[in-house]
Short mmCIF file of all heavy atoms in Angstrom, two decimals:
data_model
loop_
_atom_site.label_atom_id
_atom_site.label_comp_id
_atom_site.label_asym_id
_atom_site.label_seq_id
_atom_site.Cartn_x
_atom_site.Cartn_y
_atom_site.Cartn_z
N MET A 189 86.69 72.94 101.29
CA MET A 189 86.51 71.61 100.67
C MET A 189 85.07 71.14 100.88
O MET A 189 84.61 70.98 102.01
CB MET A 189 87.47 70.59 101.32
CG MET A 189 88.94 71.03 101.21
SD MET A 189 89.51 71.32 99.53
CE MET A 189 90.57 72.75 99.78
N ARG A 190 84.34 71.01 99.82
CA ARG A 190 82.94 70.63 99.91
C ARG A 190 82.74 69.19 99.47
O ARG A 190 83.30 68.74 98.49
CB ARG A 190 82.08 71.54 99.03
CG ARG A 190 81.38 72.62 99.85
CD ARG A 190 80.61 73.51 98.92
NE ARG A 190 81.29 74.81 98.85
CZ ARG A 190 81.08 75.68 97.88
NH1 ARG A 190 80.29 75.38 96.89
NH2 ARG A 190 81.67 76.83 97.88
N ASP A 191 81.94 68.47 100.23
CA ASP A 191 81.66 67.08 99.86
C ASP A 191 80.52 67.01 98.86
O ASP A 191 80.57 66.30 97.88
CB ASP A 191 81.31 66.27 101.12
CG ASP A 191 82.51 66.13 102.02
OD1 ASP A 191 83.61 65.85 101.52
OD2 ASP A 191 82.33 66.32 103.23
N GLU A 192 79.48 67.82 99.12
CA GLU A 192 78.33 67.84 98.22
C GLU A 192 78.33 69.13 97.42
O GLU A 192 78.38 70.20 97.98
CB GLU A 192 77.03 67.72 99.02
CG GLU A 192 76.96 66.44 99.83
CD GLU A 192 76.82 66.73 101.31
OE1 GLU A 192 75.69 66.93 101.76
OE2 GLU A 192 77.85 66.75 102.00
N ASP A 193 78.27 68.99 96.10
CA ASP A 193 78.32 70.17 95.24
C ASP A 193 76.98 70.89 95.17
O ASP A 193 76.93 72.08 94.90
CB ASP A 193 78.75 69.77 93.83
CG ASP A 193 80.26 69.65 93.74
OD1 ASP A 193 80.82 68.70 94.32
OD2 ASP A 193 80.88 70.51 93.12
N ASP A 194 75.89 70.16 95.41
CA ASP A 194 74.58 70.79 95.29
C ASP A 194 74.18 71.50 96.58
O ASP A 194 73.14 72.13 96.65
CB ASP A 194 73.52 69.75 94.88
CG ASP A 194 73.58 68.52 95.77
OD1 ASP A 194 74.66 68.25 96.33
OD2 ASP A 194 72.56 67.84 95.89
N LEU A 195 75.01 71.41 97.59
CA LEU A 195 74.72 72.12 98.84
C LEU A 195 75.55 73.39 98.89
O LEU A 195 76.77 73.36 98.75
CB LEU A 195 75.05 71.23 100.04
CG LEU A 195 73.89 70.40 100.60
CD1 LEU A 195 74.35 69.63 101.82
CD2 LEU A 195 72.70 71.28 100.95
N ILE A 196 74.86 74.52 99.09
CA ILE A 196 75.57 75.79 99.16
C ILE A 196 76.12 75.98 100.56
O ILE A 196 75.44 75.73 101.55
CB ILE A 196 74.64 76.96 98.78
CG1 ILE A 196 74.01 76.70 97.41
CG2 ILE A 196 75.40 78.28 98.77
CD1 ILE A 196 72.91 77.70 97.06
N ASP A 197 77.34 76.44 100.63
CA ASP A 197 77.97 76.68 101.91
C ASP A 197 77.53 78.05 102.43
O ASP A 197 77.72 79.06 101.77
CB ASP A 197 79.49 76.65 101.72
CG ASP A 197 80.20 76.22 102.99
OD1 ASP A 197 79.51 75.73 103.91
OD2 ASP A 197 81.43 76.36 103.05
N TYR A 198 76.96 78.06 103.61
CA TYR A 198 76.48 79.32 104.19
C TYR A 198 77.36 79.73 105.36
O TYR A 198 77.86 78.90 106.10
CB TYR A 198 75.04 79.19 104.67
CG TYR A 198 74.03 79.28 103.55
CD1 TYR A 198 73.62 78.15 102.86
CD2 TYR A 198 73.49 80.51 103.18
CE1 TYR A 198 72.70 78.24 101.83
CE2 TYR A 198 72.57 80.61 102.16
CZ TYR A 198 72.17 79.47 101.49
OH TYR A 198 71.26 79.57 100.47
N GLU A 199 77.52 81.04 105.48
CA GLU A 199 78.22 81.56 106.65
C GLU A 199 77.58 82.88 107.05
O GLU A 199 77.05 83.60 106.20
CB GLU A 199 79.70 81.73 106.35
CG GLU A 199 79.99 82.76 105.27
CD GLU A 199 81.49 82.94 105.06
OE1 GLU A 199 82.27 82.06 105.46
OE2 GLU A 199 81.86 83.97 104.50
N PRO A 200 77.61 83.21 108.34
CA PRO A 200 76.95 84.45 108.79
C PRO A 200 77.70 85.68 108.31
O PRO A 200 78.92 85.73 108.33
CB PRO A 200 77.00 84.33 110.31
CG PRO A 200 78.11 83.39 110.61
CD PRO A 200 78.20 82.45 109.44
N CYS A 201 76.92 86.68 107.88
CA CYS A 201 77.51 87.96 107.47
C CYS A 201 78.21 88.58 108.67
O CYS A 201 77.69 88.55 109.78
CB CYS A 201 76.42 88.88 106.94
SG CYS A 201 76.93 90.58 106.72
N SER A 202 79.37 89.14 108.45
CA SER A 202 80.13 89.71 109.56
C SER A 202 79.59 91.07 109.99
O SER A 202 80.10 91.67 110.91
CB SER A 202 81.60 89.82 109.17
OG SER A 202 81.74 90.39 107.90
N TYR A 203 78.55 91.55 109.30
CA TYR A 203 77.97 92.84 109.66
C TYR A 203 76.59 92.70 110.28
O TYR A 203 76.30 93.24 111.34
CB TYR A 203 77.88 93.75 108.43
CG TYR A 203 79.22 94.29 108.02
CD1 TYR A 203 80.02 93.56 107.16
CD2 TYR A 203 79.69 95.49 108.50
CE1 TYR A 203 81.27 94.04 106.77
CE2 TYR A 203 80.92 95.98 108.14
CZ TYR A 203 81.71 95.25 107.27
OH TYR A 203 82.93 95.72 106.90
N CYS A 204 75.68 91.97 109.59
CA CYS A 204 74.32 91.88 110.09
C CYS A 204 74.03 90.50 110.66
O CYS A 204 72.98 90.29 111.26
CB CYS A 204 73.33 92.23 108.98
SG CYS A 204 73.35 91.07 107.60
N GLY A 205 74.93 89.55 110.48
CA GLY A 205 74.74 88.22 111.04
C GLY A 205 73.85 87.33 110.19
O GLY A 205 73.59 86.19 110.57
N GLU A 206 73.38 87.84 109.06
CA GLU A 206 72.52 87.06 108.18
C GLU A 206 73.32 85.93 107.54
O GLU A 206 74.47 86.10 107.17
CB GLU A 206 71.95 87.98 107.10
CG GLU A 206 70.99 87.29 106.15
CD GLU A 206 69.61 87.11 106.76
OE1 GLU A 206 69.31 87.72 107.79
OE2 GLU A 206 68.84 86.31 106.19
N GLU A 207 72.65 84.76 107.41
CA GLU A 207 73.31 83.63 106.76
C GLU A 207 73.35 83.86 105.26
O GLU A 207 72.30 83.95 104.61
CB GLU A 207 72.57 82.33 107.08
CG GLU A 207 72.66 81.92 108.53
CD GLU A 207 73.96 81.20 108.84
OE1 GLU A 207 74.38 80.37 108.03
OE2 GLU A 207 74.56 81.50 109.88
N VAL A 208 74.53 84.01 104.71
CA VAL A 208 74.67 84.27 103.28
C VAL A 208 75.60 83.21 102.69
O VAL A 208 76.45 82.67 103.39
CB VAL A 208 75.24 85.68 103.02
CG1 VAL A 208 74.25 86.75 103.44
CG2 VAL A 208 76.56 85.86 103.74
N PRO A 209 75.42 82.89 101.38
CA PRO A 209 76.31 81.93 100.75
C PRO A 209 77.76 82.37 100.87
O PRO A 209 78.10 83.53 100.65
CB PRO A 209 75.85 81.94 99.27
CG PRO A 209 74.44 82.42 99.31
CD PRO A 209 74.36 83.37 100.48
N ALA A 210 78.62 81.42 101.22
CA ALA A 210 80.03 81.76 101.45
C ALA A 210 80.72 82.16 100.16
O ALA A 210 81.78 82.78 100.19
CB ALA A 210 80.75 80.56 102.07
N ASP A 211 80.10 81.82 99.02
CA ASP A 211 80.73 82.12 97.74
C ASP A 211 80.70 83.61 97.41
O ASP A 211 81.62 84.13 96.79
CB ASP A 211 80.02 81.35 96.62
CG ASP A 211 80.36 79.87 96.66
OD1 ASP A 211 81.34 79.53 97.36
OD2 ASP A 211 79.66 79.08 96.02
N ILE A 212 79.61 84.28 97.82
CA ILE A 212 79.48 85.68 97.45
C ILE A 212 80.34 86.55 98.34
O ILE A 212 80.61 86.21 99.50
CB ILE A 212 78.01 86.16 97.52
CG1 ILE A 212 77.48 86.06 98.96
CG2 ILE A 212 77.14 85.34 96.58
CD1 ILE A 212 76.17 86.79 99.13
N VAL A 213 80.78 87.68 97.79
CA VAL A 213 81.66 88.56 98.53
C VAL A 213 80.88 89.68 99.20
O VAL A 213 81.37 90.35 100.08
CB VAL A 213 82.74 89.17 97.62
CG1 VAL A 213 83.76 88.11 97.24
CG2 VAL A 213 82.12 89.79 96.39
N ARG A 214 79.61 89.89 98.74
CA ARG A 214 78.83 90.98 99.28
C ARG A 214 77.50 90.47 99.82
O ARG A 214 76.81 89.72 99.14
CB ARG A 214 78.58 92.03 98.20
CG ARG A 214 78.40 93.41 98.78
CD ARG A 214 78.66 94.44 97.72
NE ARG A 214 78.60 95.78 98.28
CZ ARG A 214 78.80 96.88 97.57
NH1 ARG A 214 79.10 96.80 96.31
NH2 ARG A 214 78.74 98.05 98.12
N CYS A 215 77.16 90.90 101.03
CA CYS A 215 75.92 90.47 101.66
C CYS A 215 74.73 91.09 100.95
O CYS A 215 74.66 92.30 100.80
CB CYS A 215 75.95 90.88 103.13
SG CYS A 215 74.39 90.56 103.99
N PRO A 216 73.76 90.25 100.50
CA PRO A 216 72.57 90.78 99.83
C PRO A 216 71.64 91.49 100.79
O PRO A 216 70.73 92.22 100.39
CB PRO A 216 71.91 89.54 99.23
CG PRO A 216 72.37 88.42 100.09
CD PRO A 216 73.75 88.79 100.60
N LYS A 217 71.82 91.27 102.08
CA LYS A 217 70.95 91.84 103.10
C LYS A 217 71.37 93.27 103.44
O LYS A 217 70.55 94.18 103.41
CB LYS A 217 71.01 90.97 104.35
CG LYS A 217 69.83 91.19 105.27
CD LYS A 217 68.68 90.26 104.90
CE LYS A 217 67.54 90.43 105.89
NZ LYS A 217 66.38 89.63 105.53
N CYS A 218 72.62 93.47 103.77
CA CYS A 218 73.07 94.79 104.22
C CYS A 218 74.01 95.45 103.22
O CYS A 218 74.30 96.64 103.35
CB CYS A 218 73.74 94.68 105.59
SG CYS A 218 75.25 93.71 105.58
N GLY A 219 74.49 94.70 102.22
CA GLY A 219 75.31 95.29 101.18
C GLY A 219 76.78 95.42 101.54
O GLY A 219 77.57 95.95 100.79
N ASN A 220 77.14 94.92 102.73
CA ASN A 220 78.54 95.00 103.13
C ASN A 220 79.31 93.78 102.63
O ASN A 220 78.73 92.74 102.35
CB ASN A 220 78.65 95.07 104.66
CG ASN A 220 78.31 96.45 105.19
OD1 ASN A 220 78.91 97.44 104.81
ND2 ASN A 220 77.32 96.52 106.06
N PHE A 221 80.61 93.91 102.51
CA PHE A 221 81.44 92.80 102.06
C PHE A 221 81.62 91.81 103.19
O PHE A 221 82.00 92.18 104.30
CB PHE A 221 82.80 93.32 101.60
CG PHE A 221 82.71 94.10 100.32
CD1 PHE A 221 82.63 95.48 100.34
CD2 PHE A 221 82.68 93.44 99.10
CE1 PHE A 221 82.54 96.20 99.15
CE2 PHE A 221 82.60 94.15 97.92
CZ PHE A 221 82.53 95.53 97.94
N THR A 222 81.34 90.54 102.89
CA THR A 222 81.40 89.51 103.92
C THR A 222 82.80 88.91 103.97
O THR A 222 83.00 87.73 103.78
CB THR A 222 80.37 88.42 103.64
OG1 THR A 222 80.66 87.85 102.36
CG2 THR A 222 78.97 88.97 103.60
N ASP A 223 83.78 89.78 104.22
CA ASP A 223 85.16 89.33 104.24
C ASP A 223 85.67 89.11 105.66
O ASP A 223 86.84 88.91 105.89
CB ASP A 223 86.06 90.34 103.53
CG ASP A 223 85.84 91.76 104.06
OD1 ASP A 223 85.03 91.89 105.00
OD2 ASP A 223 86.46 92.67 103.54
N GLY A 224 84.75 89.16 106.63
CA GLY A 224 85.16 88.94 108.01
C GLY A 224 85.75 90.17 108.67
O GLY A 224 86.28 90.10 109.75
N ALA A 225 85.65 91.32 107.99
CA ALA A 225 86.23 92.54 108.55
C ALA A 225 85.19 93.35 109.32
O ALA A 225 85.50 94.40 109.84
CB ALA A 225 86.82 93.38 107.44
N GLY A 226 83.96 92.87 109.36
CA GLY A 226 82.89 93.61 110.02
C GLY A 226 82.96 93.49 111.52
O GLY A 226 83.82 92.81 112.07
N PRO A 227 82.03 94.16 112.21
CA PRO A 227 82.01 94.14 113.67
C PRO A 227 81.76 92.74 114.23
O PRO A 227 82.10 92.47 115.38
CB PRO A 227 80.87 95.09 114.03
CG PRO A 227 80.04 95.21 112.79
CD PRO A 227 80.99 94.99 111.64
N LYS A 228 81.16 91.87 113.42
CA LYS A 228 80.91 90.51 113.89
C LYS A 228 81.94 89.53 113.33
O LYS A 228 81.78 88.32 113.40
CB LYS A 228 79.50 90.07 113.46
CG LYS A 228 78.41 90.86 114.19
CD LYS A 228 77.03 90.38 113.82
CE LYS A 228 75.97 91.23 114.53
NZ LYS A 228 74.62 90.80 114.22
N GLY A 229 82.97 90.05 112.74
CA GLY A 229 84.01 89.21 112.16
C GLY A 229 84.95 88.68 113.23
O GLY A 229 84.77 88.89 114.42
N LYS A 230 85.99 88.00 112.77
CA LYS A 230 86.96 87.42 113.70
C LYS A 230 87.74 88.53 114.40
O LYS A 230 87.92 89.62 113.87
CB LYS A 230 87.92 86.51 112.94
CG LYS A 230 87.21 85.32 112.31
CD LYS A 230 87.76 85.02 110.92
CE LYS A 230 86.74 84.28 110.10
NZ LYS A 230 86.91 84.50 108.66
N GLY A 231 88.22 88.23 115.58
CA GLY A 231 88.98 89.20 116.34
C GLY A 231 90.27 89.57 115.63
O GLY A 231 90.83 88.78 114.89
N GLY A 232 90.71 90.81 115.86
CA GLY A 232 91.95 91.25 115.24
C GLY A 232 91.70 92.10 114.01
O GLY A 232 92.57 92.86 113.61
N SER A 233 90.51 91.97 113.41
CA SER A 233 90.23 92.73 112.20
C SER A 233 90.11 94.22 112.52
O SER A 233 90.42 95.06 111.70
CB SER A 233 88.97 92.22 111.54
OG SER A 233 87.93 92.12 112.48
N ALA A 234 89.63 94.54 113.72
CA ALA A 234 89.50 95.94 114.11
C ALA A 234 90.87 96.60 114.13
O ALA A 234 91.04 97.73 113.68
CB ALA A 234 88.83 96.03 115.48
N TRP A 235 91.86 95.88 114.62
CA TRP A 235 93.22 96.40 114.64
C TRP A 235 93.74 96.59 113.22
O TRP A 235 94.41 97.57 112.91
CB TRP A 235 94.10 95.43 115.43
CG TRP A 235 95.57 95.58 115.13
CD1 TRP A 235 96.40 94.63 114.63
CD2 TRP A 235 96.41 96.75 115.34
NE1 TRP A 235 97.66 95.12 114.50
CE2 TRP A 235 97.69 96.41 114.92
CE3 TRP A 235 96.15 98.03 115.81
CZ2 TRP A 235 98.75 97.33 114.97
CZ3 TRP A 235 97.21 98.94 115.85
CH2 TRP A 235 98.49 98.59 115.45
N ASP A 236 93.38 95.66 112.33
CA ASP A 236 93.82 95.77 110.94
C ASP A 236 93.25 97.03 110.30
O ASP A 236 93.95 97.74 109.60
CB ASP A 236 93.36 94.54 110.15
CG ASP A 236 94.32 93.37 110.36
OD1 ASP A 236 95.43 93.62 110.87
OD2 ASP A 236 93.96 92.24 110.02
N ARG A 237 91.97 97.29 110.58
CA ARG A 237 91.34 98.47 110.00
C ARG A 237 91.99 99.72 110.55
O ARG A 237 92.19 100.70 109.86
CB ARG A 237 89.84 98.47 110.33
CG ARG A 237 89.09 97.39 109.54
CD ARG A 237 87.63 97.39 109.93
NE ARG A 237 86.81 97.89 108.83
CZ ARG A 237 85.54 98.27 108.98
NH1 ARG A 237 84.98 98.21 110.15
NH2 ARG A 237 84.86 98.69 107.96
N LYS A 238 92.33 99.70 111.84
CA LYS A 238 92.99 100.84 112.46
C LYS A 238 94.34 101.08 111.80
O LYS A 238 94.74 102.19 111.51
CB LYS A 238 93.17 100.57 113.96
CG LYS A 238 92.68 101.72 114.84
CD LYS A 238 92.90 101.41 116.29
CE LYS A 238 91.64 100.94 116.98
NZ LYS A 238 91.86 100.59 118.38
N LYS A 239 95.02 99.96 111.53
CA LYS A 239 96.34 100.02 110.90
C LYS A 239 96.23 100.63 109.51
O LYS A 239 97.03 101.47 109.11
CB LYS A 239 96.93 98.61 110.82
CG LYS A 239 98.44 98.59 110.95
CD LYS A 239 98.95 97.25 111.44
CE LYS A 239 98.60 96.12 110.52
NZ LYS A 239 99.19 94.85 110.94
N VAL A 240 95.21 100.20 108.76
CA VAL A 240 94.98 100.73 107.41
C VAL A 240 94.72 102.23 107.47
O VAL A 240 95.24 103.01 106.67
CB VAL A 240 93.80 99.99 106.75
CG1 VAL A 240 93.38 100.72 105.47
CG2 VAL A 240 94.20 98.56 106.42
N ALA A 241 93.91 102.66 108.45
CA ALA A 241 93.60 104.07 108.60
C ALA A 241 94.87 104.86 108.88
O ALA A 241 95.09 105.94 108.32
CB ALA A 241 92.59 104.26 109.73
N VAL A 242 95.73 104.33 109.74
CA VAL A 242 96.99 105.01 110.07
C VAL A 242 97.86 105.13 108.83
O VAL A 242 98.43 106.18 108.55
CB VAL A 242 97.73 104.23 111.19
CG1 VAL A 242 99.15 104.73 111.33
CG2 VAL A 242 96.99 104.37 112.52
N VAL A 243 97.92 104.06 108.04
CA VAL A 243 98.74 104.07 106.82
C VAL A 243 98.22 105.13 105.85
O VAL A 243 98.99 105.87 105.25
CB VAL A 243 98.73 102.67 106.17
CG1 VAL A 243 99.33 102.74 104.76
CG2 VAL A 243 99.52 101.68 107.02
N ILE A 244 96.89 105.20 105.71
CA ILE A 244 96.29 106.19 104.80
C ILE A 244 96.64 107.60 105.26
O ILE A 244 97.02 108.46 104.45
CB ILE A 244 94.76 105.99 104.75
CG1 ILE A 244 94.45 104.69 103.99
CG2 ILE A 244 94.10 107.17 104.06
CD1 ILE A 244 92.98 104.33 104.05
N VAL A 245 96.55 107.87 106.56
CA VAL A 245 96.86 109.19 107.09
C VAL A 245 98.33 109.52 106.83
O VAL A 245 98.67 110.63 106.41
CB VAL A 245 96.54 109.24 108.61
CG1 VAL A 245 97.16 110.49 109.23
CG2 VAL A 245 95.04 109.22 108.83
N VAL A 246 99.20 108.55 107.06
CA VAL A 246 100.64 108.77 106.85
C VAL A 246 100.92 109.07 105.38
O VAL A 246 101.65 110.00 105.05
CB VAL A 246 101.44 107.53 107.31
CG1 VAL A 246 102.87 107.61 106.82
CG2 VAL A 246 101.41 107.42 108.83
N VAL A 247 100.30 108.31 104.48
CA VAL A 247 100.51 108.51 103.04
C VAL A 247 100.01 109.88 102.62
O VAL A 247 100.66 110.59 101.86
CB VAL A 247 99.81 107.39 102.24
CG1 VAL A 247 99.77 107.74 100.76
CG2 VAL A 247 100.53 106.06 102.45
N LEU A 248 98.82 110.26 103.12
CA LEU A 248 98.25 111.56 102.77
C LEU A 248 99.14 112.68 103.29
O LEU A 248 99.40 113.67 102.59
CB LEU A 248 96.84 111.68 103.35
CG LEU A 248 95.75 110.94 102.58
CD1 LEU A 248 94.42 111.08 103.29
CD2 LEU A 248 95.64 111.46 101.15
N THR A 249 99.65 112.55 104.52
CA THR A 249 100.53 113.56 105.09
C THR A 249 101.81 113.66 104.27
O THR A 249 102.30 114.76 103.96
CB THR A 249 100.88 113.19 106.55
OG1 THR A 249 99.68 112.95 107.27
CG2 THR A 249 101.67 114.29 107.22
N LEU A 250 102.34 112.52 103.88
CA LEU A 250 103.56 112.48 103.08
C LEU A 250 103.33 113.14 101.73
O LEU A 250 104.14 113.94 101.25
CB LEU A 250 103.98 111.02 102.90
CG LEU A 250 105.50 110.77 102.81
CD1 LEU A 250 106.17 111.13 104.14
CD2 LEU A 250 105.77 109.31 102.48
N ALA A 251 102.18 112.83 101.11
CA ALA A 251 101.85 113.41 99.81
C ALA A 251 101.70 114.92 99.92
O ALA A 251 102.20 115.67 99.07
CB ALA A 251 100.57 112.78 99.28
N ALA A 252 101.03 115.38 100.98
CA ALA A 252 100.84 116.81 101.19
C ALA A 252 102.19 117.48 101.41
O ALA A 252 102.46 118.57 100.87
CB ALA A 252 99.94 117.03 102.40
N PHE A 253 103.06 116.83 102.16
CA PHE A 253 104.40 117.38 102.41
C PHE A 253 105.20 117.49 101.12
O PHE A 253 105.86 118.50 100.85
CB PHE A 253 105.13 116.47 103.41
CG PHE A 253 106.57 116.86 103.62
CD1 PHE A 253 106.88 117.97 104.40
CD2 PHE A 253 107.59 116.12 103.06
CE1 PHE A 253 108.20 118.32 104.60
CE2 PHE A 253 108.91 116.47 103.26
CZ PHE A 253 109.22 117.59 104.04
N LEU A 254 105.12 116.44 100.29
CA LEU A 254 105.85 116.45 99.02
C LEU A 254 105.31 117.54 98.11
O LEU A 254 106.10 118.25 97.46
CB LEU A 254 105.72 115.08 98.35
CG LEU A 254 106.61 113.98 98.94
CD1 LEU A 254 106.29 112.64 98.30
CD2 LEU A 254 108.08 114.31 98.78
N LEU A 255 103.99 117.68 98.05
CA LEU A 255 103.38 118.70 97.20
C LEU A 255 103.79 120.08 97.67
O LEU A 255 104.10 120.97 96.86
CB LEU A 255 101.85 118.55 97.22
CG LEU A 255 101.30 117.43 96.34
CD1 LEU A 255 99.80 117.28 96.57
CD2 LEU A 255 101.57 117.72 94.87
N THR A 256 103.83 120.27 98.98
CA THR A 256 104.19 121.56 99.55
C THR A 256 105.65 121.90 99.24
O THR A 256 106.00 123.00 98.82
CB THR A 256 103.96 121.57 101.06
OG1 THR A 256 102.65 121.12 101.34
CG2 THR A 256 104.16 122.95 101.64
N SER A 257 106.54 120.91 99.43
CA SER A 257 107.96 121.15 99.19
C SER A 257 108.24 121.37 97.71
O SER A 257 109.13 122.13 97.33
CB SER A 257 108.78 119.97 99.72
OG SER A 257 108.30 118.76 99.17
N MET A 258 107.45 120.70 96.85
CA MET A 258 107.64 120.89 95.40
C MET A 258 107.14 122.27 94.98
O MET A 258 107.71 122.92 94.12
CB MET A 258 106.87 119.80 94.64
CG MET A 258 107.74 118.57 94.42
SD MET A 258 107.06 117.47 93.19
CE MET A 258 105.58 116.90 93.98
N GLY A 259 106.03 122.72 95.63
CA GLY A 259 105.46 124.01 95.26
C GLY A 259 106.33 125.15 95.70
O GLY A 259 106.37 126.20 95.06
N GLY A 260 107.09 124.95 96.78
CA GLY A 260 107.93 126.02 97.29
C GLY A 260 109.30 126.07 96.63
O GLY A 260 110.21 126.73 97.08
N CYS A 261 109.46 125.39 95.55
CA CYS A 261 110.75 125.32 94.87
C CYS A 261 111.15 126.67 94.26
O CYS A 261 110.37 127.27 93.58
CB CYS A 261 110.71 124.25 93.78
SG CYS A 261 112.31 123.92 93.03
ZN1 ZN B 222 74.96 91.51 106.06
#
């Protein structure tokens, strides 16, 4: 909620710490997405990324298993 429309809302990039407009999704300084998932983001995001990695590994393993079982038909 902004009171003044002519004032841009700034927030620190979660990767390089640079102050970037909160409206943009990508930091112009380091090119990373300023979604708070970076090393300087809010706590808990590291666990989320770990969780995503685990899900990807599980899906890939499942896909490989399905492909293998289908090929051995
Ligand atoms: Zn940055």
Side-chain angles (χ1 to χ4, degrees):
M189 303 303 142
R190 259 178 251 161
D191 293 316
E192 300 121 84
D193 278 70
D194 50 335
L195 267 183
I196 305 171
D197 208 12
Y198 281 90
E199 64 177 19
C201 168
S202 47
Y203 286 87
C204 64
E206 182 78 14
E207 293 279 317
V208 293
D211 287 345
I212 63 167
V213 288
R214 207 159 185 180
C215 174
K217 199 88 176 177
C218 65
N220 283 303
F221 290 96
T222 60
D223 51 3
K228 292 183 183 181
K230 297 140 203 153
S233 50
W235 160 240
D236 278 346
R237 288 178 110 195
K238 230 181 259 178
K239 212 156 60 175
V240 168
V242 167
V243 168
I244 289 172
V245 167
V246 167
V247 168
L248 282 177
T249 307
L250 213 65
F253 173 76
L254 283 174
L255 281 174
T256 309
S257 54
M258 271 195 293
C261 188

